[in-house]
């Protein structure tokens, strides 16, 4: 009897692309709708859990973490993330003692294991890991909260796929769509959720080559465009359903409310700003990736050192929050401070330098979580610093929040190597006028081109260096 956790890679029934029947397609669409509903419920539940943890940790006003942290004594700012890190670290230690924790990307990768069961997302361990992530973030850990709903939504969809005995291609698309829907549910970003599934998880991931055209049952070649269309439809349906569920339960509003942003008129200077800051954002994104990568190299194994390291990382965040109140958490408060533009230049510079540092330390200590909001916050801090420098030089901007948002998107595009997702995500988080999409797309594409050129240059240098070494006598 087949395990309910096991993905079905065998052709138990005709795949959608290999069948001309309407039935298989309707069944996959039904699974996408069910997956979207599950992702929406997961997003709402985890958001409520995060609010509860923040309230217990920092008081009744902790729903706005900056206010909650600012109103508690300094000893509590240090003790809370330390204890939260210790509790989460003990939980991760216990989970990892029985094996590495599953990742959505690994589950989508057909090369990670020869046995399909090894690529599953076990529901109990996945949910436990997600709860620990929310506890850590709510207590102040500098990691993103979006990793938890992504993996839980994908794990629940894994169960549905197993019950429906979907083929490997459909499973990968459905799991990626579910992860994107989990992101869409917690941040109310349906477009970005769908694009995340397509651009970050499928197109940029190792699973995408398996979606290339293959031989059909009669010797004909399936169209690659058909595979693309299928993936786009499934990702869109799942993300839209997930956000509709959250709207029905908790309403809808932008994560970052900027007064008057819905009425901003297009300014040609925005394009100039986007082009000028694109190389700076590319360097900032590279630096963030490098810092996190160095942290991962130092991550402890599943020993008693793990909870102590996570607790120590929490203590460092708490100490930093005694002077920089926007440091704790996933970075949401830092983005709010940057968009508001009320902080001093020294405070903004400190936040810009500290956020990637404490995030790298948290990852290096063994904390689990997303990196979208920390990298977005780093970019927002960069934009706020540049806007402050322009003001000090006597060249104040008419709309400083636009520069903050442009830099946030630019750094995110560099860290995720996903320009379309970064532009959509940044725009939907604020929901300004559609005119703002123009500089966001320009900076995201500019960063992508700059990063691609830098990668090409490094590859050429490596090849030339290798040839020089090989030809030495």
């Amino acid at each position: 009897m087949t395990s309910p956790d096991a993905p079905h890679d065998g052709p138990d029934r005709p795949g959608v692309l290999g069948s001309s029947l309407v039935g298989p397609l309707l069944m996959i669409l039904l699974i996408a709708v069910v997956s979207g509903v599950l992702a929406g419920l997961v997003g709402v539940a985890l958001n409520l859990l995060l609010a509860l943890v923040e309230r217990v940790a920092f008081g009744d006003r902790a729903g706005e973490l900056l206010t909650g942290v600012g109103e508690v004594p300094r000893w509590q700012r240090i003790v809370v993330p330390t204890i939260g890190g210790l509790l989460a670290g003990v939980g991760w230690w216990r989970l990892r003692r029985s094996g590495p924790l599953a990742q959505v990307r690994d589950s989508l990768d057909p090369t990670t294991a020869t046995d399909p069961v090894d690529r599953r997302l076990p529901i109990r361990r996945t949910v436990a890991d997600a709860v620990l992530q929310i506890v850590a973030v709510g207590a102040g850990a500098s990691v993103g909260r979006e990793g938890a709903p992504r993996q839980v939504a994908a794990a629940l969809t894994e169960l549905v796929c197993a019950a429906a005995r979907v083929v490997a291609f459909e499973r990968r698309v459905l799991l990626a769509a579910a992860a994107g829907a989990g992101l869409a549910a917690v941040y109310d970003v349906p477009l970005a959720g769908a694009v995340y599934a397509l651009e970050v998880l499928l197109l940029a991931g190792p699973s995408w080559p398996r979606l290339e055209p293959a031989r059909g049952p009669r010797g004909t070649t399936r169209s690659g465009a058909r595979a693309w269309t299928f993936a786009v439809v499934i990702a869109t349906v799942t993300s839209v359903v997930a956000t509709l569920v959250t709207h029905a339960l908790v309403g809808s509003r932008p994560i970052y409310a900027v007064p008057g942003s819905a009425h901003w008129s297009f300014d040609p200077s925005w394009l100039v700003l986007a082009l000028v800051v694109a190389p700076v954002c590319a360097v900032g994104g590279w630096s963030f990736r490098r810092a996190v990568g160095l942290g991962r190299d130092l991550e402890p194994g599943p020993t008693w050192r793990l909870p102590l390291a996570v607790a120590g990382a929490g203590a460092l965040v708490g100490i930093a929050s005694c002077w920089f109140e926007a440091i704790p958490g996933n970075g949401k408060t830092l983005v709010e401070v940057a968009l508001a533009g009320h902080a001093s230049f020294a405070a903004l510079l400190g936040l810009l330098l500290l956020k990637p540092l404490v995030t790298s330390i948290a990852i290096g200590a063994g904390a689990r979580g997303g990196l979208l909001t920390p990298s977005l916050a780093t970019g927002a801090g960069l934009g706020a610093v540049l806007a402050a420098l322009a003001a000090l030089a006597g060249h104040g901007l008419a709309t400083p929040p636009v520069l903050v948002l442009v830099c946030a998107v630019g750094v995110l595009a560099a860290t995720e190597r996903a320009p379309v997702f970064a532009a959509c995500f940044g725009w939907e988080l604020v929901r300004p006028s559609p005119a703002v999409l123009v500089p966001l797309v320009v900076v995201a594409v500019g960063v992508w081109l700059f990063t691609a050129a830098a990668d090409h240059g490094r590859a050429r240098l490596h090849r030339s260096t290798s040839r020089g070494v090989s030809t030495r006598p």
Side-chain angles (χ1 to χ4, degrees):
M1 184 174 181
T2 306
S3 169
D5 281 337
H8 292 269
D9 280 21
D12 297 316
R13 60 164 183 78
V16 169
L17 297 187
S19 173
S20 60
L21 300 177
V22 176
L25 178 59
L26 291 179
M27 191 191 75
I28 296 300
L29 286 174
L30 178 60
I31 294 175
V33 171
V34 172
S35 176
V37 172
L38 293 173
L41 295 175
V42 166
V44 171
L46 292 180
N47 275 342
L48 293 175
L49 176 61
L50 178 62
L52 175 62
V53 173
E54 289 179 348
R55 175 167 294 189
V56 171
F58 297 107
D60 291 338
R61 299 197 65 183
E64 299 182 9
L65 189 57
L66 179 61
T67 304
V69 171
E71 292 185 348
V72 300
R74 290 192 171 187
W75 68 264
Q76 188 174 351
R77 302 184 197 182
I78 299 173
V79 169
V80 165
T82 303
I83 294 178
L86 181 63
L87 294 176
V90 169
W92 281 318
W93 177 24
R94 290 179 59 86
L95 286 176
R96 294 178 191 180
R97 287 176 64 183
S98 59
L101 295 171
Q103 300 273 2
V104 175
R105 291 176 189 260
D106 293 338
S107 183
L108 297 174
D109 182 5
T111 67
T112 55
T114 56
D115 184 359
V117 176
D118 293 337
R119 300 200 304 269
R120 71 186 186 276
L121 290 167
I123 189 65
R124 291 182 181 177
R125 283 166 51 84
T126 302
V127 171
D129 178 33
V131 170
L132 292 174
Q133 291 180 39
I134 296 298
V135 169
V137 173
S142 185
V143 290
R145 60 172 170 156
E146 71 279 352
R150 289 198 313 246
Q151 65 189 50
V152 174
L156 292 174
T157 301
E158 179 94 81
L159 296 178
V160 179
C161 290
R165 305 185 69 82
V166 300
V167 298
F169 164 77
E170 296 162 359
R171 171 188 171 272
R172 287 195 293 275
V173 173
L174 285 165
L175 261 59
L183 173 68
V186 292
Y187 288 121
D188 197 3
V189 288
L191 178 59
V195 175
Y196 180 86
L198 296 167
E199 186 179 24
V200 178
L201 293 180
L202 290 177
L203 181 59
S207 66
W208 190 251
R210 294 288 299 271
L211 305 185
E212 290 295 326
R215 302 298 294 181
R218 296 185 179 180
T220 58
T221 302
R222 299 178 194 162
S223 170
R226 224 177 144 190
W228 261 102
T229 302
F230 173 78
V232 168
V233 170
I234 295 302
T236 302
V237 168
T238 311
S239 285
V240 169
V241 170
T243 51
L244 288 177
V245 170
T246 59
H247 292 177
L249 295 177
V250 296
S252 173
R253 61 172 181 157
I255 297 296
Y256 304 111
V258 180
S261 61
H263 305 291
W264 286 342
S265 300
F266 178 76
D267 188 340
S269 65
W270 294 350
L271 297 180
V272 178
L273 286 175
L275 292 172
V276 169
V277 303
V280 182
C281 293
V283 174
W286 177 86
S287 301
F288 185 90
R289 285 172 62 98
R290 179 64 176 164
V292 171
L294 291 174
R296 284 202 173 103
D297 292 339
L298 302 174
E299 183 177 344
T303 67
W304 59 268
R305 295 182 180 88
L306 176 60
L308 294 182
V310 179
L316 288 176
V317 169
I319 293 171
S321 70
C322 293
W323 292 273
F324 301 94
E325 296 173 359
I327 280 294
N330 62 351
K332 180 176 182 289
T333 52
L334 198 162
V335 178
E336 291 172 341
V337 168
L339 288 171
H342 297 153
S344 66
F345 175 76
L348 291 172
L349 184 60
L351 291 170
L352 171 61
L353 297 176
L354 282 174
K355 192 59 183 179
L357 176 62
V358 295
T359 302
S360 173
I361 291 173
I363 296 298
R368 297 245 311 168
L371 294 173
L372 295 183
T373 314
S375 60
L376 191 82
T378 300
L382 174 62
V385 167
L386 294 178
L389 285 174
L392 291 174
H395 300 286
L397 305 174
T399 51
V402 172
L403 178 59
V404 172
L405 189 56
V406 163
C407 288
V409 167
V411 171
L412 182 61
T415 56
E416 291 295 319
R417 304 294 181 94
V420 180
F421 164 72
C424 294
F425 189 55
W427 185 81
E428 283 190 300
L429 287 174
V430 179
R431 298 184 199 169
S433 68
V436 182
L437 266 175
V438 178
L440 298 185
V441 171
V442 169
V443 73
V445 173
V447 166
W448 178 72
L449 292 174
F450 186 89
T451 305
D455 290 343
H456 180 68
R458 283 195 297 268
R460 289 187 61 183
L461 179 62
H462 177 73
R463 287 195 299 267
S464 62
T465 303
S466 300
R467 285 197 297 269
V469 171
S470 63
T471 55
R472 287 180 182 176

